[in-house]
Amino acid sequence: MGNIIEFPRGDGLDEDEELDPKEMLGVLQEEVTMTEAIVVGWTDTGNLFMATSHGRAPDMVFLLELAKSVLMNRCVNDE
């Protein structure tokens, strides 16, 4: 998993820091060529938002679970 995009914030984000979602999506659009994508987040009104580039539910669940696994492994290995 060496495809980490460095966002324009310097040394990276601390746990309490936040990055503007528009800035993050702009950097991704410029830096990464994707074949499929899922965007998950909270709207400014507090509602869950999810968008996908395709409508195959099993593929969406697989991508979300894979991302969750990678994140969990990084969290455990960082401690």
Side-chain angles (χ1 to χ4, degrees), residues 6-69:
E6 295 293 329
F7 293 106
R9 271 248 186 165
D11 298 330
L13 298 175
D14 292 330
E15 283 186 28
D16 297 329
E17 286 186 281
E18 293 184 9
L19 183 64
D20 183 311
K22 288 181 183 177
E23 181 181 350
M24 183 195 74
L25 291 172
V27 170
L28 288 174
Q29 185 177 2
E30 294 173 8
E31 300 287 331
V32 179
T33 303
M34 288 185 258
T35 59
E36 297 179 18
I38 296 175
V39 176
V40 179
W42 298 109
T43 66
D44 57 356
T45 58
N47 294 318
L48 177 66
F49 174 83
M50 188 172 97
T52 180
S53 61
H54 58 76
R56 296 178 304 272
D59 290 348
M60 293 182 335
V61 171
F62 175 76
L63 285 174
L64 290 169
E65 289 295 331
L66 181 60
K68 177 179 142 184
S69 175

